[in-house]
Amino acid sequence: MAPHVRPENVLKRAEELLAVEQAGDALNLLHEIITSKRTRNTPIASLEPIMLRFVELCVQLRRGKLAKEGLYTYKNVAQNTSVGSIEVVLKRFIDLSKEKVNEAQEQADKIALDTIDDLEASETPESIMLSTVSTEQSKDRTDRAVVTPWLKFLWEAYRTVLEILRNNARLEIMYQATAIQAFQFCLKYARKTEFRRLCELLRNHLQSASKNLSQVHAINLNDPDTLQRHLDTRFAQLNAAVELELWQEAFRSVEDIHTLLTISKRPPKPAMMVNYYEKLTKIFLVSDNYLFHAAAASRYHNLRLQTRPMTEAEASRSASIVLLSAIAIPVISTSRFRAGMYDVDESKHKNVRLSGLLGLSKAPSRASLLKEALSKGILSRVRPEINALYQILEVDFHPLSICRKISPIMSELVKDDELARYIQPLHQVILTRLFQQLSQVYDSLKLDFVVKLVDFPAPFSVSPTTIEKFIMNGCKKGELAIKINHADDSLTFESDVYATSKAASDSAVQLQPTPTEIVRTELSRLAKALFATVNLVDTDYISSVAAAKEAALQRAVSGVASEHKAALERKNVIEDRLKQAETILQKREEDESRKRALKLQQEQAAEQTRLAEEMRKRELDRIRREQDAIMELEKRKIADEMISKGIKIAPGTLETMDTAQLREVEIEQTEKRTKDISERMRLTAKRIDHLERAYRKAEIPLLEQDYEKQKLADKALHEERRAAQIETAKAQFEAKVLLKKRLRRMVPDYEEYKERLLHM
């Protein structure tokens, strides 16, 4: 129907079409009314019921693109007058889509149950083999056929609503609620790909919001409430990413949260930050970044202690995780060795970036994390085996028994799933401490002896190949100074006093100074001794130092007044410059405000021009569509007439032909058909004429014979019928004679009765 129909009568007309099962025509009618130019002046109270019915039909017929176009148009019409109406329509759109998904799931479950004939029947080998090659619908096929189309429609509905609501401060609350519903959708149906796309979509919306601050109803991230809503949404996104185990998206969500926290002028909620650091610990642990995992665990533990009281068991468990994560930080990095200035700068930039996420001014280290944990008295709250592990690795010196003492501790750790995650990095720490302590006692060792020292029970055993790889990696990193001699199967610890090895680093327990340290500190110790000797023996040096101090004191006393005067002058100059800067800043702000107002007017004018151009193009497209529909209807009508007349149309040619061409084809086919019929009639008449002539020629001699036969047959038949007639006549005559004789006996009685009647 044309769009000039009054909106008040649209619903009535749509209901009439629905009553005769023409839902598609009803939807097109509503769509034309909604996108019509005249609808812009229609009151929202009259337009809202039309939109609600429109979205119901769009969901019913699964017309997502049509719904998107109509919702965009309605948003442009109602966003300046009735924001609540937009929210009602969009909420109805989402709710109907959810209902369709639930109905599809119930239908799929019912189909799956209907295919089961006997619930007590067991699977046989024959039935299993048949199921692998049969074409019966399994539950997966049923879900793909019934549920998947509606899941796609619901996902597109979420995307459409988010695109419509984006970058509008008046619709921001529903935007955040819809985003959270989309996260729940991805969680419920385990849609990881859609979750990545959703995160990217929200990220793009936030970037565009920060750029388009001059638009009408633009989102202001400086507003604390707006920023808090964005933070809540990003935390919901972070929780969903962790639950879906999409760690890369979780890390990006953490970066988004950190960016918003730096913008925020309001301090974040403690419970929110507890969740933030908890998710960071999981992300860093999955990425095998044990250093920042331990830092995040420490921040998480401290914040939990500040926000809410914990029981003794909870505090002990949390403290144990903090200390164990710090101990498990590998002293030697297990990553591949990378040399070069570019890689060093890249690693430094990465550490600065990760430190910023944790709110740290500089990158943490293993020693600093252990020192911080000890300063807060964590050792008194950790589990006994964790305390013993710390004493063995960081305090005691026992190179020959370190592995034997740690083995029972590892057996205790493996019983707890949360603590068992640190066993693998603990191997690296144990091996590092073993070789650091051995290097302080021995010059060389047999490799077999070292392998016996690294004797862990299964499944924690370490192979000789792993030990050798660890030594090579430690030497590359400069943490170890060991040479392996495969000829005599031995290890040699470097003893060059001029080497720069870190074999006995500051983090390791030292039994005695190494030769390298003795040589490296010889000059400094000599300088300290000479300085102390000069201060005690040389009187001239002592008097010169005292005179220099006295002269400096006199200069300071004499220059106090001039310095005070200079300070006052400098203060006045600073105040004058501040006033000038404020004046310049105020003038600049006024100029910028005027420019923003002018730019806003220009953008509004350009937007109105663009909208008018879009409406004009949309109207032209509608007229073109109507003309095409009329032409298509006429073509279909002509084609149906041609088919009813028996005229064939080549497949695929109907779409490329117009009505004139179809008429030409009809005339041509009719003329050709008439000629064919005339020619066939002529040939048929000629053939029948010749055949009849041949029949008659062949019939002439046979007719005479048949005539003679017919005469004899007719004569015999005549005689037979004559004889039968005579016999019948005789029989009838005899019967009548007998009747006459019987009736003759009644004549006297008749005459007597007659006479009696006459004389009465």
Side-chain angles (χ1 to χ4, degrees):
M1 184 174 290
H4 62 268
V5 179
R6 296 181 62 188
E8 291 77 7
N9 300 326
V10 170
L11 281 178
K12 182 178 179 181
R13 177 58 180 161
E15 295 297 337
E16 291 174 355
L17 291 172
L18 290 173
V20 295
E21 298 182 355
Q22 294 184 6
D25 294 338
L27 179 60
N28 293 331
L29 170 65
L30 296 177
H31 178 261
E32 290 176 0
I33 291 297
I34 292 168
T35 57
S36 175
K37 289 183 178 179
R38 300 184 181 183
T39 310
R40 295 182 180 180
N41 300 323
T42 305
I44 299 300
S46 302
L47 195 58
E48 182 177 334
I50 298 176
M51 280 301 303
L52 292 174
R53 193 57 172 161
F54 171 73
V55 297
E56 288 177 4
L57 290 176
C58 286
V59 174
Q60 180 181 348
L61 300 177
R62 217 156 59 204
R63 301 286 294 275
K65 293 183 179 179
L66 207 63
K68 185 176 182 179
E69 184 179 354
L71 290 172
Y72 263 112
T73 305
Y74 186 68
K75 176 210 171 185
N76 294 330
V77 172
Q79 66 179 350
N80 294 325
T81 57
S82 180
V83 176
S85 179
I86 300 176
E87 295 179 352
V88 169
V89 172
L90 294 177
K91 188 175 183 299
R92 180 63 175 164
F93 182 49
I94 294 293
D95 293 341
L96 289 173
S97 302
K98 287 182 179 179
E99 291 175 3
K100 287 295 182 181
V101 172
N102 295 333
E103 291 176 2
Q105 284 183 328
E106 293 176 359
Q107 182 181 358
D109 295 339
K110 183 178 179 182
I111 292 173
L113 289 174
D114 290 342
T115 57
I116 302 175
D117 296 330
D118 187 1
L119 294 176
E120 296 183 359
S122 59
E123 291 286 346
T124 62
E126 293 80 3
S127 63
I128 295 174
M129 292 181 66
L130 285 174
S131 64
T132 59
V133 297
S134 65
T135 58
E136 293 181 356
Q137 280 193 336
S138 63
K139 189 176 187 305
D140 292 339
R141 296 194 189 100
T142 304
D143 289 344
R144 284 196 297 270
V146 178
V147 181
T148 303
W150 284 112
L151 283 178
K152 291 181 179 178
F153 184 83
L154 179 57
W155 166 245
E156 289 299 328
Y158 282 126
R159 284 182 62 98
T160 299
V161 173
L162 289 174
E163 288 287 349
I164 291 173
L165 298 174
R166 70 187 182 98
N167 298 344
N168 193 322
R170 303 179 69 185
L171 298 170
E172 184 183 1
I173 295 177
M174 186 173 181
Y175 175 84
Q176 308 296 345
T178 305
I180 293 175
Q181 289 182 15
F183 293 145
Q184 294 172 354
F185 165 82
C186 296
L187 283 174
K188 182 177 180 181
Y189 300 103
R191 306 305 306 172
K192 295 185 178 182
T193 303
E194 285 75 12
F195 181 79
R196 294 191 188 96
R197 292 173 181 169
L198 178 61
C199 295
E200 191 63 29
L201 181 69
L202 297 179
R203 204 168 287 119
N204 293 335
H205 289 176
L206 185 61
Q207 291 176 359
S208 62
S210 61
K211 294 178 182 177
N212 303 324
L213 297 176
S214 59
Q215 293 183 355
V216 182
H217 307 310
I219 292 177
N220 184 15
L221 293 177
N222 294 323
D223 184 5
D225 295 332
T226 299
L227 195 61
Q228 184 62 42
R229 282 191 287 269
H230 278 279
L231 280 172
D232 293 339
T233 304
R234 290 306 182 277
F235 271 104
Q237 175 181 327
L238 175 60
N239 295 334
V242 172
E243 191 168 346
L244 289 172
E245 296 184 355
L246 296 174
W247 303 111
Q248 189 172 6
E249 283 300 330
F251 183 75
R252 291 179 179 176
S253 302
V254 167
E255 289 185 321
D256 295 340
I257 292 171
H258 180 261
T259 303
L260 293 173
L261 288 175
T262 55
I263 298 174
S264 176
K265 298 178 181 179
R266 180 187 296 177
K269 299 177 182 178
M272 187 181 295
M273 295 308 298
V274 168
N275 185 23
Y276 174 78
Y277 287 118
E278 181 185 7
K279 297 302 185 293
L280 269 180
T281 57
K282 294 181 179 180
I283 294 170
F284 287 135
L285 184 61
V286 169
S287 62
D288 292 339
N289 194 335
Y290 298 103
L291 175 63
F292 284 93
H293 165 71
S298 177
R299 299 299 296 269
Y300 173 61
H301 172 73
N302 296 335
L303 202 57
R304 283 188 65 188
L305 291 176
Q306 296 173 8
T307 53
R308 62 182 179 87
M310 291 190 294
T311 63
E312 190 66 27
E314 291 177 348
S316 175
R317 185 174 186 80
S318 181
S320 299
I321 292 176
V322 171
L323 184 58
L324 184 59
S325 62
I327 295 174
I329 299 173
V331 181
I332 301 175
S333 176
T334 57
S335 60
R336 295 184 61 184
F337 178 72
R338 300 184 303 171
M341 185 61 68
Y342 175 77
D343 296 327
V344 172
D345 293 342
E346 182 182 5
S347 177
K348 183 178 180 181
H349 174 71
K350 178 182 178 182
N351 290 338
V352 171
R353 177 183 172 193
L354 297 180
S355 301
L357 294 180
L358 291 172
L360 301 175
S361 58
K362 61 179 181 178
S365 63
R366 188 176 186 274
S368 63
L369 291 174
L370 285 173
K371 184 178 180 181
E372 180 184 1
L374 296 178
S375 64
K376 295 181 179 180
I378 282 184
L379 275 178
S380 61
R381 294 195 295 269
V382 299
R383 293 168 56 171
E385 59 268 20
I386 307 297
N387 195 343
L389 180 64
Y390 171 77
Q391 296 295 331
I392 294 171
L393 290 176
E394 305 297 331
V395 179
D396 298 337
F397 186 89
H398 35 64
L400 300 182
S401 59
I402 181 171
C403 297
R404 187 174 64 254
K405 291 182 177 180
I406 291 178
S407 293
I409 298 176
M410 297 180 72
S411 301
E412 290 294 326
L413 293 179
V414 78
K415 296 178 182 178
D416 192 328
D417 294 337
E418 194 169 0
L419 301 180
R421 300 176 297 182
Y422 301 100
I423 290 179
Q424 182 180 357
L426 276 176
H427 278 85
Q428 307 294 331
V429 178
I430 295 169
L431 290 176
T432 304
R433 288 290 181 254
L434 174 65
F435 287 112
Q436 286 177 344
Q437 294 179 13
L438 287 175
S439 65
Q440 298 185 48
V441 180
Y442 297 97
D443 290 331
S444 63
L445 286 171
K446 286 292 184 179
L447 187 58
D448 296 339
F449 179 73
V450 176
V451 172
K452 291 180 181 178
L453 291 180
V454 190
D455 184 18
F456 293 109
F460 314 118
S461 58
V462 181
S463 64
T465 305
T466 304
I467 296 174
E468 186 174 343
K469 288 182 179 179
F470 176 80
I471 293 172
M472 293 298 100
N473 185 53
C475 293
K476 284 182 179 180
K477 299 294 182 181
E479 295 287 345
L480 298 177
I482 302 174
K483 294 181 180 179
I484 300 178
N485 189 344
H486 289 284
D488 56 0
D489 197 18
S490 64
L491 299 178
T492 302
F493 297 99
E494 189 180 56
S495 59
D496 186 1
V497 295
Y498 299 104
T500 58
S501 171
K502 299 179 183 178
S505 62
D506 295 338
S507 61
V509 180
Q510 294 188 23
L511 181 64
Q512 58 186 354
T514 62
T516 304
E517 290 182 337
I518 293 174
V519 172
R520 189 166 59 244
T521 59
E522 183 68 25
L523 292 176
S524 62
R525 289 189 290 106
L526 179 61
K528 290 178 182 178
L530 292 175
F531 181 76
T533 303
V534 168
N535 285 332
L536 293 175
V537 176
D538 192 353
T539 57
D540 295 337
Y541 176 77
I542 296 173
S543 60
S544 63
V545 171
K549 288 183 179 179
E550 184 66 23
L553 181 61
Q554 291 178 359
R555 286 195 303 271
V557 171
S558 61
V560 167
S562 60
E563 288 182 1
H564 179 65
K565 184 178 180 181
L568 293 176
E569 292 177 353
R570 186 165 59 252
K571 178 182 178 182
N572 295 330
V573 171
I574 291 173
E575 290 178 352
D576 294 339
R577 289 180 179 178
L578 285 175
K579 292 180 180 178
Q580 294 176 0
E582 289 178 356
T583 305
I584 294 172
L585 181 61
Q586 184 178 3
K587 185 178 180 181
R588 185 181 303 167
E589 289 179 352
E590 292 176 355
D591 294 339
E592 289 180 354
S593 62
R594 285 196 298 271
K595 290 180 181 179
R596 283 197 299 268
L598 180 61
K599 184 179 179 182
L600 181 60
Q601 293 177 358
Q602 294 175 351
E603 289 178 352
Q604 289 177 350
E607 181 68 16
Q608 293 177 357
T609 305
R610 184 184 65 81
L611 292 175
E613 183 65 21
E614 286 183 357
M615 292 301 296
R616 187 183 67 81
K617 290 181 179 179
R618 193 178 295 113
E619 185 67 19
L620 292 176
D621 291 340
R622 186 190 60 76
I623 295 173
R624 191 179 300 110
R625 288 197 303 270
E626 289 182 354
Q627 293 175 350
D628 293 341
I630 293 171
M631 294 292 293
E632 185 68 22
L633 183 61
E634 187 176 354
K635 282 170 58 177
R636 291 291 179 185
K637 187 176 180 181
I638 295 173
D640 293 339
E641 291 177 358
M642 293 171 65
I643 293 172
S644 64
K645 293 178 182 180
I647 299 174
K648 296 182 179 179
I649 302 175
T653 59
L654 182 61
E655 289 76 6
T656 60
M657 300 173 67
D658 55 10
T659 55
Q661 292 174 341
L662 283 174
R663 290 297 185 188
E664 291 178 1
V665 171
E666 182 181 9
I667 294 171
E668 182 182 351
Q669 292 287 342
T670 304
E671 291 178 353
K672 183 178 179 181
R673 186 177 179 186
T674 304
K675 289 180 180 179
D676 292 342
I677 292 173
S678 300
E679 183 65 22
R680 287 199 299 271
M681 291 290 290
R682 187 184 66 80
L683 294 176
T684 302
K686 185 177 180 180
R687 184 170 61 253
I688 292 173
D689 184 46
H690 290 176
L691 184 61
E692 186 66 24
R693 186 181 302 172
Y695 283 160
R696 293 189 180 185
K697 283 183 180 181
E699 189 181 28
I700 291 172
L702 297 175
L703 286 175
E704 295 177 356
Q705 296 176 8
D706 185 66
Y707 176 69
E708 294 297 333
K709 291 180 181 179
Q710 189 67 31
K711 285 197 303 182
L712 295 175
D714 290 344
K715 185 177 180 181
L717 181 62
H718 174 72
E719 291 176 353
E720 183 181 352
R721 289 180 178 176
R722 182 62 181 169
Q725 184 179 6
I726 291 172
E727 291 294 332
T728 303
K730 287 181 179 181
Q732 291 178 355
F733 175 75
E734 291 176 356
K736 289 179 180 180
V737 170
L738 293 175
L739 179 61
K740 181 180 180 182
K741 289 179 181 180
R742 288 196 303 271
L743 294 175
R744 188 175 290 173
R745 292 196 301 266
M746 296 172 60
V747 173
D749 296 332
Y750 167 73
E751 291 294 339
E752 183 181 356
Y753 179 71
K754 180 179 177 183
E755 288 294 334
R756 189 184 308 125
L757 289 175
L758 290 173
H759 289 86
M760 285 180 64

